[in-house]
Amino acid sequence: MVSALGMTAFLGGCGSTGSSDVTLRLVAADYGDSAANSSQKYWDDLARAYESGHPGVKVKVSVYSWTDVDRKVKEMADAGDPPDMAQIGAYADYADKDMLYKADDLLSIPVQADFLGQLSEAGQLRHVQYGIPFAASTRVLFYNKTLFARAGITSAPKTWDDLAADAEALKAKGVKYPYALPLGPEEAQAETLQWLLSGGAGYTDDIGTYTINSPQNAETFTWLKDELVGKGLTGPVAPGKLNRAQAFSAFAAGEVGMLNGHPTLMQQAAKQGVDFGMVPVPGRNGTPKATMGVNDWMMAFKEPGHKDQIGDFLDFVYNEKNVLAFSREYDLLPVTSSASDVMTAADEDKKLWPFLEELPLAQLYPFGKTSWARVSADVKKDIGRAVGPTGDPTAVLNQLQTTASDAESAQSGS
């Protein structure tokens, strides 16, 4: 990776930065699963490569786990000291407060035109793009072939009933996590959306109105509570306490029969010799309403006032070779057409082709809603209670719906 970044040091963003002796601060999320492949190493290499061609600019990158990074940026912004750039999970609340630069104020035309159209549109608030796509993924069901064979399971599940029956068979053979259900605070909003889609609904309806407490969603979480969690099929850690990273590590350790995962899990499981398969996420009666897609965002704050330098650095970040280096390091999907075209044609990226094919039709979070950051935070905090021993799925979904509706009303009234 270092050599790839080094080669592009002078290929992207070589224009004048308009000033000298500027330090750009970037807060970014960690996509690694250990210190050895922490995103801090990726960003440090990229920053040094950029600085070698731009002696007047320093780039200081602080990387935090997904559990902490959104909160860290919010604390900095609330204190009136936002970073120059943040690479996090939501942008619209900052854009609505007029804290962000528009994408076309920062990026060169070729770079801006290279983003996948669906992702660029998702980065818009009131038809203006503030969120710059950074990394994308879709989800599939991963299953441990060795554990399936031990339990006498001959095919991967296609429906919820199949999944529950397979989980029962795995439990009978002593599998620690027959189905890992990570509804802990790290990424509960993702696991939740996968289940809502597989139940025929989602966070919003077709016109973008929040429908978190729809009858379909209540049925989905009631089924999870009664048929998986209540029957002891989700493992020793309560779903509300189980984070995605923990679930992935357990899968890589051979302790999980099934879980929903994104491409990064392939590398993690393969490193530890797990023989795994991947199939579409099962739906209530078969194929889900839609595949879930996730896109993470880059954004730039106005407050530090380094527009020219930020734009020049971001042009470099989104150089084709740098996008490919990041995507290949973490088994994620590139957000640019040029890098996607390379990966679709390269045999070395063959394992990602199923995910690349799904992305154009995947359903994303309602990123363009200024309320989404608050709603997402509440889902992370509260959704695990819905499937707990004394949990009431309908009550929890009603509470989340009230939060979402209040946030929308406050926005429309501002």
Side-chain angles (χ1 to χ4, degrees), residues 59-94:
V59 182
K60 180 182 178 183
V61 186
S62 301
V63 170
Y64 297 96
S65 74
W66 274 109
T67 307
D68 299 324
V69 68
D70 290 300
R71 175 178 55 81
K72 284 283 187 182
V73 173
K74 184 177 187 303
E75 289 172 354
M76 294 171 74
D78 288 349
D81 186 32
D84 293 276
M85 295 162 284
Q87 187 271 296
I88 53 176
Y91 67 85
D93 50 337
Y94 298 117

Side-chain angles (χ1 to χ4, degrees), residues 44-118:
D44 286 348
D45 288 343
L46 188 142
R48 299 299 84 78
Y50 179 78
E51 290 169 356
S52 70
H54 302 78
V57 180
K58 297 293 182 185
V59 182
K60 180 182 178 183
V61 186
S62 301
V63 170
Y64 297 96
S65 74
W66 274 109
T67 307
D68 299 324
V69 68
D70 290 300
R71 175 178 55 81
K72 284 283 187 182
V73 173
K74 184 177 187 303
E75 289 172 354
M76 294 171 74
D78 288 349
D81 186 32
D84 293 276
M85 295 162 284
Q87 187 271 296
I88 53 176
Y91 67 85
D93 50 337
Y94 298 117
D96 187 59
K97 295 173 185 174
D98 197 30
M99 298 176 73
L100 302 181
Y101 288 116
K102 301 174 185 175
D104 60 8
D105 286 341
L106 298 167
L107 302 169
S108 66
I109 291 174
V111 169
Q112 197 168 0
D114 196 25
F115 290 113
L116 296 172
Q118 175 209 22

Side-chain angles (χ1 to χ4, degrees), residues 225-243:
K225 179 179 186 295
D226 293 346
E227 302 301 324
L228 288 187
V229 184
K231 293 183 177 179
L233 302 178
T234 54
V237 180
K241 302 290 187 183
L242 183 66
N243 279 328

